[in-house]
Coordinates of all heavy atoms in Angstrom, one line a residue:
M1222 N 73.6 129.1 144.7 CA 73.4 127.6 144.8 C 73.1 127.4 146.2 O 73.7 127.9 147.2 CB 74.7 126.8 144.5 CG 74.6 125.3 144.6 SD 76.1 124.6 144.0 CE 75.5 122.9 143.9
S1223 N 72.1 126.5 146.6 CA 71.6 126.4 147.9 C 72.4 125.2 148.6 O 73.1 124.4 147.9 CB 70.1 126.0 147.9 OG 69.9 124.8 147.3
K1224 N 72.5 125.2 149.9 CA 73.2 124.2 150.6 C 72.4 122.9 150.6 O 71.2 123.0 150.5 CB 73.4 124.7 152.1 CG 74.3 125.9 152.2 CD 75.1 125.9 153.3 CE 75.9 127.1 153.5 NZ 77.2 126.8 153.8
P1225 N 73.1 121.8 150.7 CA 72.3 120.5 150.6 C 71.6 120.4 152.0 O 71.8 121.2 152.9 CB 73.5 119.5 150.5 CG 74.8 120.2 150.9 CD 74.5 121.6 150.7
D1226 N 70.9 119.3 152.1 CA 70.0 119.1 153.2 C 70.9 118.4 154.3 O 71.3 117.2 154.0 CB 68.8 118.3 152.9 CG 68.0 117.9 154.1 OD1 68.2 118.4 155.2 OD2 67.0 117.2 153.9
F1227 N 71.2 119.0 155.4 CA 72.1 118.3 156.4 C 71.5 117.0 156.9 O 72.2 116.1 157.3 CB 72.3 119.3 157.5 CG 73.2 118.7 158.6 CD1 74.5 118.7 158.7 CD2 72.6 118.2 159.9 CE1 75.2 118.1 159.6 CE2 73.2 117.8 160.8 CZ 74.6 117.6 160.8
D1228 N 70.1 117.0 157.0 CA 69.5 115.8 157.6 C 69.3 114.7 156.5 O 68.8 113.7 156.8 CB 68.1 116.3 158.0 CG 68.3 117.1 159.3 OD1 69.1 116.9 160.1 OD2 67.5 118.1 159.3
D1229 N 69.7 114.9 155.3 CA 69.6 113.8 154.3 C 70.6 112.7 154.7 O 71.8 112.9 154.8 CB 70.0 114.3 153.0 CG 70.1 113.3 151.9 OD1 69.8 112.1 152.1 OD2 70.4 113.7 150.8
P1230 N 70.1 111.4 155.1 CA 70.9 110.3 155.4 C 71.9 109.9 154.4 O 72.9 109.3 154.7 CB 70.0 109.3 155.9 CG 68.7 109.6 155.1 CD 68.7 111.1 154.9
N1231 N 71.7 110.3 153.2 CA 72.6 109.8 152.0 C 73.5 111.0 151.6 O 74.2 110.8 150.6 CB 71.7 109.4 150.9 CG 70.9 108.2 151.3 OD1 71.4 107.3 151.9 ND2 69.6 108.2 150.9
L1232 N 73.5 112.1 152.3 CA 74.5 113.2 152.0 C 75.9 112.7 152.1 O 76.3 112.4 153.2 CB 74.2 114.4 152.9 CG 75.2 115.7 152.7 CD1 74.9 116.2 151.4 CD2 75.0 116.6 153.8
P1233 N 76.6 112.8 150.9 CA 78.0 112.3 151.0 C 78.9 113.2 151.8 O 78.6 114.4 151.9 CB 78.5 112.4 149.5 CG 77.2 112.4 148.8 CD 76.2 113.1 149.6
L1234 N 79.8 112.7 152.6 CA 80.6 113.6 153.4 C 81.4 114.6 152.6 O 81.5 115.7 153.1 CB 81.7 112.7 154.1 CG 81.1 111.7 155.2 CD1 82.2 110.8 155.7 CD2 80.4 112.5 156.2
S1235 N 81.8 114.3 151.3 CA 82.5 115.3 150.6 C 81.6 116.6 150.3 O 82.1 117.7 150.4 CB 82.9 114.7 149.3 OG 81.8 114.3 148.5
E1236 N 80.2 116.3 150.2 CA 79.4 117.5 150.0 C 79.1 118.1 151.4 O 79.0 119.4 151.4 CB 78.0 117.0 149.4 CG 78.1 116.5 148.0 CD 76.8 116.2 147.4 OE1 75.7 116.6 147.8 OE2 76.8 115.3 146.5
L1237 N 79.1 117.4 152.4 CA 79.0 118.0 153.7 C 80.2 119.0 154.0 O 79.9 120.2 154.4 CB 78.9 116.9 154.8 CG 79.0 117.4 156.3 CD1 77.6 117.9 156.8 CD2 79.5 116.3 157.2
F1238 N 81.3 118.5 153.7 CA 82.6 119.4 153.9 C 82.6 120.5 153.0 O 83.0 121.7 153.3 CB 83.8 118.5 153.8 CG 84.0 117.5 154.7 CD1 84.3 116.2 154.3 CD2 83.7 117.6 156.1 CE1 84.5 115.0 155.2 CE2 83.8 116.6 157.0 CZ 84.2 115.3 156.6
A1239 N 82.1 120.4 151.8 CA 82.0 121.5 150.9 C 81.0 122.6 151.2 O 81.4 123.8 151.2 CB 81.7 121.0 149.4
A1240 N 79.9 122.1 151.8 CA 78.9 123.1 152.2 C 79.2 123.7 153.6 O 78.8 124.9 153.8 CB 77.5 122.4 152.3
W1241 N 79.8 123.0 154.5 CA 80.0 123.4 155.8 C 81.5 123.1 156.2 O 81.7 122.1 157.0 CB 79.1 122.8 156.8 CG 77.7 123.3 156.6 CD1 77.0 124.4 156.9 CD2 76.7 122.3 156.0 NE1 75.7 124.4 156.5 CE2 75.5 123.2 156.0 CE3 76.6 121.1 155.4 CZ2 74.3 122.7 155.5 CZ3 75.4 120.6 154.9 CH2 74.2 121.4 154.9
P1242 N 82.5 123.7 155.7 CA 83.8 123.4 156.0 C 84.2 123.3 157.5 O 85.1 122.6 157.8 CB 84.7 124.3 155.1 CG 83.8 125.3 154.7 CD 82.4 124.8 154.9
E1243 N 83.5 124.1 158.1 CA 83.8 124.3 159.7 C 83.5 122.9 160.3 O 84.1 122.7 161.4 CB 82.9 125.3 160.3 CG 81.5 125.1 160.3 CD 80.8 125.7 159.0 OE1 81.4 125.9 158.0 OE2 79.6 125.8 159.1
V1244 N 82.7 121.9 159.8 CA 82.5 120.6 160.5 C 83.7 119.8 160.5 O 83.8 118.8 161.2 CB 81.2 119.9 160.0 CG1 80.0 120.8 160.1 CG2 81.5 119.5 158.5
A1245 N 84.7 120.0 159.5 CA 86.0 119.2 159.5 C 86.5 119.2 160.9 O 87.2 118.2 161.3 CB 86.8 119.7 158.4
S1246 N 86.5 120.3 161.6 CA 87.1 120.4 162.9 C 86.6 119.4 163.8 O 87.2 118.9 164.8 CB 87.1 121.9 163.4 OG 85.6 122.1 163.7
V1247 N 85.3 119.1 163.7 CA 84.6 118.1 164.6 C 85.2 116.8 164.4 O 85.5 115.9 165.2 CB 83.1 118.1 164.5 CG1 82.5 117.0 165.3 CG2 82.5 119.5 164.8
F1248 N 85.3 116.4 163.0 CA 86.0 115.2 162.7 C 87.4 115.0 163.2 O 87.8 114.0 163.8 CB 85.9 114.9 161.2 CG 84.6 114.6 160.6 CD1 83.6 115.6 160.5 CD2 84.2 113.3 160.3 CE1 82.4 115.3 159.9 CE2 83.0 113.0 159.9 CZ 82.0 113.9 159.6
F1249 N 88.3 116.0 163.0 CA 89.5 116.0 163.4 C 89.7 116.0 164.9 O 90.5 115.3 165.4 CB 90.3 117.3 162.9 CG 90.6 117.4 161.4 CD1 90.4 118.5 160.7 CD2 90.9 116.2 160.7 CE1 90.4 118.6 159.3 CE2 91.1 116.3 159.4 CZ 91.0 117.4 158.7
Y1250 N 88.8 116.7 165.7 CA 88.7 116.7 167.1 C 88.6 115.2 167.6 O 89.3 114.8 168.6 CB 87.7 117.5 167.7 CG 87.6 117.6 169.1 CD1 88.5 118.3 169.9 CD2 86.6 116.9 169.8 CE1 88.4 118.3 171.3 CE2 86.5 116.9 171.1 CZ 87.4 117.6 171.9 OH 87.2 117.7 173.3
R1251 N 87.9 114.4 166.9 CA 87.6 113.1 167.2 C 88.6 112.1 166.6 O 88.5 110.9 166.6 CB 86.2 112.6 166.9 CG 85.1 113.3 167.7 CD 83.8 112.9 167.3 NE 82.8 113.1 168.3 CZ 82.5 112.4 169.4 NH1 83.2 111.2 169.5 NH2 81.5 112.7 170.3
R1252 N 89.6 112.6 165.9 CA 90.7 111.9 165.2 C 90.1 111.0 164.1 O 90.6 109.9 163.8 CB 91.4 111.1 166.2 CG 92.0 112.0 167.2 CD 93.1 111.3 168.0 NE 93.6 112.5 168.8 CZ 94.5 112.4 169.8 NH1 95.0 111.3 170.0 NH2 95.0 113.5 170.3
M1253 N 89.2 111.5 163.4 CA 88.4 110.8 162.3 C 89.2 111.4 161.1 O 89.4 112.5 160.9 CB 87.0 111.1 162.2 CG 86.2 110.6 163.4 SD 84.6 111.3 163.6 CE 83.8 110.2 162.3
L1254 N 89.5 110.5 160.2 CA 90.2 110.8 158.9 C 89.3 111.1 157.7 O 89.9 111.2 156.6 CB 91.2 109.6 158.6 CG 92.1 109.3 159.7 CD1 92.9 108.1 159.3 CD2 93.0 110.4 160.1
C1255 N 88.0 111.3 158.0 CA 87.1 111.4 156.8 C 87.4 112.7 156.0 O 87.2 112.7 154.8 CB 85.7 111.6 157.4 SG 85.1 110.2 158.4
P1256 N 87.6 113.9 156.6 CA 88.0 115.0 155.7 C 89.3 114.7 154.8 O 90.3 114.4 155.4 CB 88.3 116.2 156.6 CG 87.6 115.8 157.9 CD 87.7 114.3 158.0
G1257 N 89.1 114.7 153.5 CA 90.2 114.4 152.7 C 90.4 113.0 152.2 O 91.2 112.6 151.5
C1258 N 89.5 112.1 152.8 CA 89.6 110.6 152.6 C 89.0 110.5 151.1 O 88.0 111.0 150.8 CB 88.8 109.9 153.5 SG 88.6 108.2 153.2
P1259 N 89.6 109.6 150.4 CA 89.1 109.4 149.0 C 87.8 108.7 148.9 O 87.1 108.6 148.0 CB 90.2 108.5 148.4 CG 91.0 107.9 149.5 CD 90.8 108.9 150.7
I1260 N 87.2 108.1 150.1 CA 86.0 107.5 150.2 C 84.9 108.5 150.6 O 83.8 108.2 150.5 CB 86.1 106.2 151.2 CG1 87.2 105.4 150.8 CG2 84.7 105.6 151.3 CD1 86.9 104.7 149.5
A1261 N 85.3 109.7 151.0 CA 84.3 110.7 151.4 C 83.2 110.9 150.4 O 82.0 111.1 150.8 CB 85.0 112.1 151.8
P1262 N 83.4 110.9 149.1 CA 82.2 111.0 148.2 C 81.3 109.8 148.2 O 80.1 110.0 147.7 CB 82.9 111.1 146.8 CG 84.2 111.5 147.1 CD 84.7 110.9 148.4
F1263 N 81.6 108.8 148.8 CA 80.8 107.6 148.8 C 80.2 107.3 150.2 O 79.4 106.3 150.4 CB 81.5 106.4 148.3 CG 82.2 106.7 147.0 CD1 83.6 106.9 147.0 CD2 81.5 106.7 145.8 CE1 84.2 107.2 145.6 CE2 82.1 107.0 144.6 CZ 83.4 107.3 144.6
H1264 N 80.6 107.9 151.2 CA 80.3 107.7 152.6 C 79.5 108.9 153.0 O 79.7 110.0 152.8 CB 81.3 107.5 153.6 CG 81.9 106.1 153.7 ND1 82.8 105.7 154.4 CD2 81.5 104.9 153.0 CE1 83.1 104.4 154.3 NE2 82.3 104.0 153.4
A1265 N 78.4 108.6 154.0 CA 77.6 109.6 154.6 C 77.9 109.6 156.1 O 78.9 108.8 156.6 CB 76.1 109.3 154.4
I1266 N 77.3 110.6 156.8 CA 77.6 110.5 158.3 C 77.3 109.1 159.1 O 78.1 108.8 159.8 CB 76.8 111.6 158.9 CG1 77.1 113.0 158.4 CG2 76.7 111.5 160.5 CD1 76.2 114.1 158.9
T1267 N 76.2 108.5 158.5 CA 75.9 107.2 159.1 C 77.1 106.2 158.9 O 77.5 105.5 159.9 CB 74.7 106.6 158.4 OG1 73.6 107.5 158.6 CG2 74.3 105.3 158.9
D1268 N 77.7 106.2 157.8 CA 78.8 105.3 157.5 C 80.1 105.7 158.3 O 80.7 104.7 158.9 CB 79.2 105.5 156.0 CG 78.2 105.0 155.1 OD1 77.6 104.0 155.3 OD2 77.9 105.8 154.2
A1269 N 80.3 107.0 158.6 CA 81.4 107.4 159.4 C 81.1 107.1 160.8 O 82.0 106.5 161.5 CB 81.6 108.8 159.3
C1270 N 79.9 107.1 161.3 CA 79.6 106.7 162.7 C 79.7 105.2 163.0 O 80.2 104.8 164.0 CB 78.2 107.2 163.0 SG 78.1 109.0 163.3
L1271 N 79.3 104.5 161.9 CA 79.6 103.0 161.9 C 81.1 102.6 162.0 O 81.4 101.7 162.7 CB 78.8 102.3 160.8 CG 77.4 102.3 160.9 CD1 76.7 101.7 159.5 CD2 76.9 101.4 162.0
E1272 N 81.7 103.2 161.1 CA 83.2 103.0 161.1 C 84.0 103.3 162.4 O 84.9 102.6 162.7 CB 83.8 103.8 159.9 CG 85.3 103.5 159.6 CD 85.4 102.0 158.9 OE1 84.5 101.5 158.3 OE2 86.5 101.5 159.2
Y1273 N 83.6 104.5 163.0 CA 84.3 104.9 164.2 C 83.5 104.6 165.5 O 83.9 105.0 166.6 CB 84.5 106.4 164.1 CG 85.7 106.8 163.1 CD1 85.4 107.0 161.8 CD2 86.9 106.7 163.5 CE1 86.4 107.3 160.8 CE2 88.0 107.0 162.6 CZ 87.7 107.3 161.3 OH 88.7 107.6 160.4
D1274 N 82.5 103.8 165.3 CA 81.7 103.3 166.5 C 81.2 104.5 167.4 O 81.5 104.6 168.6 CB 82.5 102.4 167.3 CG 81.7 101.5 168.4 OD1 80.4 101.3 168.1 OD2 82.1 101.2 169.5
L1275 N 80.5 105.4 166.7 CA 80.0 106.6 167.4 C 78.5 106.5 167.4 O 77.9 106.0 166.4 CB 80.4 107.8 166.6 CG 81.9 108.1 166.5 CD1 82.1 109.4 165.6 CD2 82.5 108.3 167.9
D1276 N 77.9 107.2 168.4 CA 76.4 107.3 168.5 C 76.0 108.4 167.4 O 76.5 109.6 167.5 CB 76.0 107.7 169.8 CG 74.4 108.0 169.9 OD1 73.8 107.1 170.1 OD2 74.0 109.2 169.5
E1277 N 75.3 108.0 166.3 CA 75.0 108.9 165.2 C 74.2 110.1 165.7 O 74.6 111.3 165.3 CB 74.3 108.2 164.1 CG 74.1 109.1 163.0 CD 73.3 108.4 161.7 OE1 73.3 107.1 161.8 OE2 73.1 109.1 160.8
D1278 N 73.2 110.0 166.6 CA 72.4 111.1 166.9 C 73.3 112.2 167.7 O 73.2 113.3 167.4 CB 71.2 110.7 167.9 CG 70.2 109.9 167.1 OD1 70.1 110.0 165.9 OD2 69.6 109.1 167.7
A1279 N 74.2 111.7 168.7 CA 75.1 112.6 169.3 C 76.1 113.3 168.3 O 76.3 114.4 168.5 CB 75.8 111.8 170.4
F1280 N 76.6 112.5 167.5 CA 77.5 113.1 166.6 C 76.9 114.1 165.6 O 77.5 115.2 165.4 CB 78.2 112.0 165.7 CG 79.4 112.4 164.9 CD1 80.5 113.0 165.4 CD2 79.3 112.4 163.4 CE1 81.6 113.4 164.6 CE2 80.4 112.9 162.6 CZ 81.5 113.4 163.3
R1281 N 75.7 113.8 165.2 CA 75.0 114.8 164.3 C 74.7 116.0 165.1 O 74.8 117.2 164.6 CB 73.7 114.2 163.8 CG 73.8 113.2 162.7 CD 72.5 112.9 162.1 NE 72.6 112.1 160.8 CZ 72.9 112.6 159.7 NH1 72.8 113.7 159.5 NH2 72.9 111.8 158.7
A1282 N 74.4 115.9 166.4 CA 74.1 117.0 167.3 C 75.4 118.0 167.4 O 75.3 119.2 167.4 CB 73.6 116.6 168.6
E1283 N 76.4 117.2 167.5 CA 77.8 118.0 167.6 C 78.1 118.7 166.3 O 78.6 119.8 166.3 CB 78.9 117.0 167.9 CG 80.1 117.5 168.4 CD 81.1 116.4 168.8 OE1 80.7 115.3 169.1 OE2 82.3 116.8 169.0
L1284 N 77.8 118.1 165.2 CA 78.0 118.8 164.0 C 77.2 120.0 163.7 O 77.5 121.0 163.3 CB 77.8 117.8 162.8 CG 78.9 116.6 162.6 CD1 78.4 115.6 161.5 CD2 80.2 117.1 162.3
S1285 N 75.8 119.8 164.1 CA 74.8 120.9 164.0 C 75.3 122.0 164.9 O 75.2 123.2 164.6 CB 73.4 120.4 164.4 OG 72.9 119.5 163.5
A1286 N 75.7 121.7 166.1 CA 76.2 122.8 167.0 C 77.4 123.5 166.4 O 77.4 124.8 166.5 CB 76.6 122.1 168.4
R1287 N 78.2 122.9 165.7 CA 79.4 123.6 165.1 C 79.0 124.4 164.0 O 79.4 125.5 164.0 CB 80.4 122.5 164.6 CG 81.6 123.0 164.0 CD 82.5 123.8 165.1 NE 83.6 124.4 164.4 CZ 83.8 125.7 164.3 NH1 82.9 126.5 164.7 NH2 84.9 126.1 163.8
I1288 N 78.0 123.9 163.2 CA 77.4 124.8 162.2 C 76.7 126.0 162.8 O 77.0 127.2 162.3 CB 76.5 124.0 161.2 CG1 77.2 122.9 160.4 CG2 75.6 124.9 160.4 CD1 76.3 121.9 159.8
D1289 N 76.0 125.9 163.8 CA 75.3 127.0 164.4 C 76.3 127.9 165.0 O 76.1 129.1 165.0 CB 74.3 126.4 165.5 CG 73.2 125.7 164.9 OD1 72.9 125.8 163.7 OD2 72.6 125.0 165.7
D1290 N 77.4 127.4 165.7 CA 78.4 128.2 166.3 C 79.1 129.1 165.2 O 79.3 130.2 165.4 CB 79.5 127.4 167.0 CG 79.0 126.8 168.3 OD1 78.0 127.2 168.8 OD2 79.8 125.9 168.8
Q1291 N 79.4 128.5 164.1 CA 80.0 129.2 163.1 C 79.1 130.3 162.4 O 79.5 131.4 162.1 CB 80.4 128.2 161.9 CG 81.2 128.9 160.8 CD 82.6 129.3 161.3 OE1 83.2 128.7 162.1 NE2 83.2 130.4 160.7
A1292 N 77.8 130.0 162.4 CA 76.8 131.0 161.8 C 76.7 132.2 162.8 O 76.4 133.3 162.5 CB 75.4 130.3 161.7
D1293 N 76.8 131.8 164.1 CA 76.7 132.8 165.2 C 78.0 133.6 165.3 O 78.1 134.6 166.2 CB 76.4 132.2 166.4 CG 74.9 131.7 166.5 OD1 74.2 132.2 165.7 OD2 74.8 130.9 167.5
G1294 N 79.1 133.2 164.6 CA 80.4 133.8 164.7 C 81.3 133.5 165.9 O 82.3 134.0 166.2
D1295 N 80.8 132.4 166.5 CA 81.6 132.0 167.8 C 82.9 131.3 167.4 O 83.9 131.6 167.9 CB 80.7 131.0 168.5 CG 81.3 130.4 169.8 OD1 82.5 130.8 170.1 OD2 80.7 129.6 170.5
G1296 N 82.9 130.2 166.6 CA 84.1 129.6 166.0 C 84.6 128.6 167.0 O 85.7 128.0 166.7
K1297 N 84.1 128.5 168.2 CA 84.7 127.4 169.2 C 84.0 126.1 168.9 O 83.1 125.9 168.4 CB 84.2 127.8 170.5 CG 84.9 129.1 171.0 CD 84.5 129.5 172.4 CE 85.0 130.8 172.8 NZ 84.5 131.2 174.1
L1298 N 84.9 125.1 169.3 CA 84.5 123.8 169.1 C 84.0 123.1 170.4 O 84.8 122.9 171.3 CB 85.6 122.9 168.6 CG 85.4 121.4 168.4 CD1 84.2 121.1 167.4 CD2 86.6 120.7 167.9
G1299 N 82.8 122.9 170.5 CA 82.1 122.3 171.7 C 82.4 123.0 173.1 O 82.9 124.2 173.1
S1300 N 82.2 122.3 174.1 CA 82.5 122.9 175.4 C 83.9 122.5 176.0 O 84.2 123.0 177.1 CB 81.4 122.5 176.4 OG 81.6 121.0 176.5
D1301 N 84.7 121.8 175.3 CA 86.0 121.4 175.7 C 87.0 122.3 175.4 O 88.1 122.3 176.0 CB 86.4 120.1 175.0 CG 85.6 118.9 175.5 OD1 85.0 118.9 176.5 OD2 85.4 117.9 174.6
N1302 N 86.7 123.4 174.7 CA 87.7 124.4 174.4 C 87.4 125.8 175.0 O 86.3 126.1 175.2 CB 87.9 124.6 172.9 CG 88.5 123.4 172.2 OD1 89.4 122.8 172.8 ND2 88.3 123.3 171.0

């Protein structure tokens, strides 16, 4: 089974977490409750950014970096750690 399109603006958060579980750490780092939320199947990244008043482009870049870090075997979260 192929991974969903990360850039799909309608990608439900539940599918995001299923395909790339490592991104949950980015949400937790920002104290976002999206991983495990019963609304995750109905919300996309855009909705989460609106709810938590985040810049969507910056947040997507952070998520992408986490996915890339995991693919490279780094496992670190951003430059703060």
Side-chain angles (χ1 to χ4, degrees):
M1222 183 176 191
S1223 65
K1224 295 213 182 222
D1226 180 8
F1227 176 80
D1228 294 319
D1229 177 359
N1231 297 313
L1232 177 67
L1234 292 175
S1235 58
E1236 290 182 30
L1237 175 76
F1238 299 132
W1241 298 282
E1243 63 272 18
V1244 300
S1246 63
V1247 177
F1248 285 79
F1249 291 138
Y1250 180 77
R1251 292 182 162 274
R1252 300 190 175 177
M1253 298 169 76
L1254 303 175
C1255 302
C1258 176
I1260 304 301
F1263 309 103
H1264 275 183
I1266 294 171
T1267 301
D1268 301 311
C1270 289
L1271 287 170
E1272 188 69 29
Y1273 286 92
D1274 196 28
L1275 299 175
D1276 177 88
E1277 183 176 351
D1278 292 333
F1280 188 64
R1281 282 184 176 277
E1283 197 174 342
L1284 294 172
S1285 291
R1287 182 65 180 109
I1288 291 168
D1289 292 343
D1290 285 350
Q1291 188 67 29
D1293 293 341
D1295 181 356
K1297 294 179 183 174
L1298 176 59
S1300 60
D1301 292 332
N1302 289 335

